[in-house]
Amino acid sequence: MSMLDFAIRATTEYIDHMPKSQRKKYGQFFTSKETAVFMAGLFEIPNGCQALSILDPGAGSGILSIALLERLQAFTAIKEIRLVCYENDPNVMELLRANLEIACSQSKQKISYEIVSDNYILSQAADYNLMLGANLEPEKFDFVIANPPYMKIPKDAPEALAMPDVCYGAPNLYFLFASMSMFNLKDGGEMVYIIPRSWTSGAYFKRFRQKFLSEGVLEHIHLFVSRDKVFEKESVLQETIIIKLRKTRSKPKTVTITTTQSNSDFSKKTIFKAPYSAVINGPDFYVYLVTNAEEVETLNSLNKWENTLPSIGLKMKTGLTVDFRNREALRDAAEEQAVPLFYSQHIQNGKVVFPVGKEHEYLVTEQRGLLQPNKNYLFVKRFTAKEEHRRLQCGVYLAKKHPEYSQISTQNKINFIDGMRDLSECVVYGLYVLFNSTLYDCYYRILNGSTQVNSTEVNSMPVPSMDVIEAMGKELIAAHDMSEPVCDRILRGYV
């Protein structure tokens, strides 16, 4: 039995005996054999290399380390390997040690391993921040391989305070691990991580992206089409990706992007080499996960526009009323003082239809924070199902359809686009052309893998000038047809 098969079998037994609630405390999800082999295969082994140092910062039962050790058996020039594994869950420590002992006994190379039971982040905080008592020459590694813990932590958690340069808002342990691993690499060293996709866009991860992608370059990204098949013995519904970075500041021309349906069909992967400048773009270092030439073309054609919604005096905002927190203010029928409360079900075929006879369609409140002027808006659904044809689904809201109200409200499962000044009907219809086009929907999907439409990301997307938006709106009004093909045809005239 190979060293990896032994480790996988022992880990499966451990999972069967250790309740998930116990492992969740450590954010612990184990890597499958196929994924571990694929990740180990991404490292570039230098020619004639005789000694290697490897770091596994969230070792668990050692599956990733052992997959890499097994791959290195084929390189006869390598005589010595130093492996450092961080693991601070006492339940899994014995299993990790037993797996590493078996691996060492089967190895052709001389392996020296060390298990560090300290907290990976806190034990290096002084070195990372060059504080008093810091080790001025901390150990650096050739390779880092990791499946880090996935766990949200409070913004005043010790780990977050230890890495202030990458934290903003509510941090997650996984990106603190990734940042610390970059710090632990030698110049030119490589790291391979399996992590959620969420860091690739959005405001919370901006500081992390800026530091991470200016100290290292992305060489390979692997995407899974099916989000629930990555950790098959676990139920993890995060959209997960595998990334390989090299610690260097010289950018490659391309990034390799591979895709598989799940973690068991790596032999059937699709391979696409995307221009580096298309994948990592703009001051916020967003990572655009393109998988084919058409998607690169989508980015290039829209990125020619230099405006964003905020730069032309518009902004996407999130609906104001969280209905379950304001139950006492909700009404099922119109009454005096009540205003309409718009939900995603009111967005139908490009228009906003009200009322539709659902419960809680009206709101009676004195709270100004829940009310907005009755004026023209573009409403956009915040949530869609994974299998739906479009991620961006929107409807034109015209104030003149409801002249009896001076104010309205929006439920927080929709977004709305608003302006410093009131939007003309032509502008709202022009925004609809953009948001209902195939091109714009495709751009958003490349930018964000979740089923949620985030206003931060939409506000960073390129848009044409206000004149062009208005002109597109006039064409749509004249066409008397709100369909996607018509929006595509109008947009193509301006791209």
Side-chain angles (χ1 to χ4, degrees):
M1 187 186 292
S2 77
M3 45 172 103
L4 183 57
D5 286 325
F6 178 88
I8 294 283
R9 195 174 74 179
T11 304
T12 304
E13 282 172 22
Y14 170 82
I15 291 175
D16 292 344
H17 290 100
M18 184 60 62
K20 186 172 175 193
S21 56
Q22 183 68 33
R23 294 186 286 112
K24 214 170 167 185
K25 208 166 77 181
Y26 293 89
Q28 199 177 66
F29 301 99
F30 292 100
T31 322
S32 73
K33 178 183 175 179
E34 296 78 8
T35 306
V37 169
F38 176 77
M39 287 172 68
L42 291 176
F43 289 97
E44 203 177 300
I45 316 296
N47 270 336
C49 165
Q50 296 191 346
L52 273 176
S53 56
I54 302 167
L55 171 67
D56 185 343
S61 63
I63 290 171
L64 285 175
S65 289
I66 290 166
L68 183 50
L69 292 176
E70 194 158 273
R71 182 183 168 210
L72 294 174
Q73 297 304 297
F75 293 84
T76 47
I78 299 171
K79 300 289 182 259
E80 274 181 60
I81 299 169
R82 168 164 167 73
L83 171 65
V84 175
C85 291
Y86 275 82
E87 184 48 64
N88 65 353
D89 173 4
N91 296 313
V92 79
M93 208 85 80
E94 207 176 308
L95 173 62
L96 173 61
R97 191 175 309 276
N99 285 342
L100 291 177
E101 278 298 324
I102 292 284
C104 289
S105 68
Q106 290 188 9
S107 171
K108 298 172 188 147
Q109 290 116 338
K110 181 182 171 220
I111 300 172
S112 61
Y113 74 84
E114 181 186 347
I115 298 173
V116 183
S117 59
D118 270 349
N119 179 306
Y120 175 60
I121 305 293
L122 298 183
S123 62
Q124 302 188 80
D127 299 349
Y128 182 83
N129 294 299
L130 278 177
M131 288 153 73
L132 204 62
N135 177 357
L136 295 179
E137 291 190 357
E139 183 172 8
K140 302 284 180 180
F141 295 85
D142 297 301
F143 293 160
V144 180
I145 189 164
N147 169 8
Y150 303 172
M151 211 158 65
K152 280 193 175 124
I153 55 172
K155 53 176 178 279
D156 56 356
E159 289 87 353
L161 298 175
M163 303 184 78
D165 56 345
V166 293
C167 284
Y168 170 82
N172 194 306
L173 274 180
Y174 82 77
F175 78 81
L176 297 184
F177 266 62
S179 221
M180 188 62 85
S181 289
M182 185 65 79
F183 171 72
N184 291 145
L185 272 180
K186 292 177 180 172
D187 285 340
E190 299 172 31
M191 62 187 278
V192 175
Y193 254 66
I194 179 164
I195 52 174
R197 173 184 171 156
S198 47
W199 66 278
T200 56
S201 62
Y204 279 162
F205 301 95
K206 178 177 165 178
R207 281 191 191 166
F208 163 66
R209 280 193 308 273
Q210 286 172 325
K211 185 165 196 282
F212 194 55
L213 298 173
S214 55
E215 292 180 353
V217 298
L218 270 169
E219 292 189 339
H220 193 122
I221 303 170
H222 182 81
L223 310 173
F224 298 98
V225 176
S226 172
R227 63 197 300 186
D228 56 353
K229 297 283 190 294
V230 183
F231 297 98
E232 78 243 304
K233 295 188 177 66
E234 316 274 11
S235 51
V236 178
L237 277 177
Q238 268 281 18
E239 186 109 0
T240 312
I241 62 177
I242 293 168
I243 54 172
K244 177 198 173 185
L245 289 100
R246 186 181 299 275
K247 188 170 184 171
T248 174
R249 288 174 191 270
S250 59
K251 292 186 174 56
K253 284 197 169 60
T254 59
V255 186
T256 302
I257 298 181
T258 51
T259 311
T260 54
Q261 281 297 321
S262 69
N263 67 11
S264 56
D265 55 1
F266 285 104
S267 59
K268 297 197 195 91
K269 64 181 178 290
T270 64
I271 301 172
F272 177 64
K273 285 199 183 304
Y276 199 85
S277 57
V279 177
I280 292 154
N281 207 297
D284 290 351
F285 284 76
Y286 278 178
V287 179
Y288 294 84
L289 299 175
V290 287
T291 57
N292 56 49
E294 276 165 353
E295 291 179 350
V296 174
E297 189 46 48
T298 296
L299 292 186
N300 290 342
S301 47
L302 293 190
N303 283 338
K304 288 180 187 139
W305 289 330
E306 289 176 358
N307 296 308
T308 58
L309 290 175
S311 78
I312 58 171
L314 304 176
K315 201 165 187 192
M316 178 178 272
K317 300 172 182 170
T318 300
L320 308 178
T321 299
V322 180
D323 47 355
F324 67 84
R325 287 204 187 116
N326 296 281
R327 285 205 175 95
E328 71 299 331
L330 303 174
R331 302 288 186 274
D332 291 343
E335 58 177 75
E336 213 174 337
Q337 253 65 69
V339 302
L341 173 59
F342 291 96
Y343 293 79
S344 55
Q345 65 246 27
H346 294 118
I347 299 171
Q348 296 178 12
N349 303 320
K351 297 193 169 69
V352 175
V353 179
F354 184 90
V356 292
K358 289 265 170 78
E359 60 176 11
H360 304 155
E361 282 189 296
Y362 295 88
L363 189 74
V364 176
T365 183
E366 298 283 302
Q367 284 188 65
R368 290 167 102 172
L370 302 183
L371 298 170
Q372 60 201 89
N374 181 20
K375 55 186 194 179
N376 298 337
Y377 298 101
L378 184 74
F379 288 169
V380 182
K381 291 185 184 180
R382 262 185 81 199
F383 297 94
T384 51
K386 179 86 176 162
E387 49 288 337
E388 284 189 76
H389 159 60
R390 291 188 59 87
R391 190 65 63 241
L392 297 176
Q393 298 184 18
C394 52
V396 169
Y397 175 79
L398 299 178
K400 70 181 185 189
K401 296 273 176 80
H402 301 284
E404 66 274 33
Y405 298 107
S406 62
Q407 292 183 303
I408 62 168
S409 186
T410 42
Q411 192 236 8
N412 88 320
K413 289 204 174 67
I414 66 171
N415 293 317
F416 60 91
I417 296 179
D418 191 5
M420 313 259 193
R421 295 193 304 279
D422 288 5
L423 307 184
S424 71
E425 287 187 22
C426 290
V427 166
V428 178
Y429 277 101
L431 289 169
Y432 178 85
V433 170
L434 274 184
F435 279 80
N436 194 49
S437 68
T438 311
L439 212 54
Y440 232 65
D441 190 66
C442 177
Y443 191 105
Y444 189 80
R445 283 171 184 268
I446 297 165
L447 179 58
N448 182 315
S450 79
T451 51
Q452 187 172 333
V453 176
N454 293 322
S455 49
T456 310
E457 279 148 24
V458 170
N459 288 325
S460 76
M461 284 168 69
V463 297
S465 66
M466 196 61 108
D467 303 349
V468 169
I469 292 174
E470 207 163 355
M472 293 196 302
K474 283 179 182 154
E475 284 191 45
L476 186 67
I477 292 168
H480 297 294
D481 181 346
M482 306 279 282
S483 67
E484 194 173 337
V486 169
C487 293
D488 289 346
R489 192 196 71 221
I490 293 172
L491 183 58
R492 269 200 296 275
Y494 294 90
V495 168

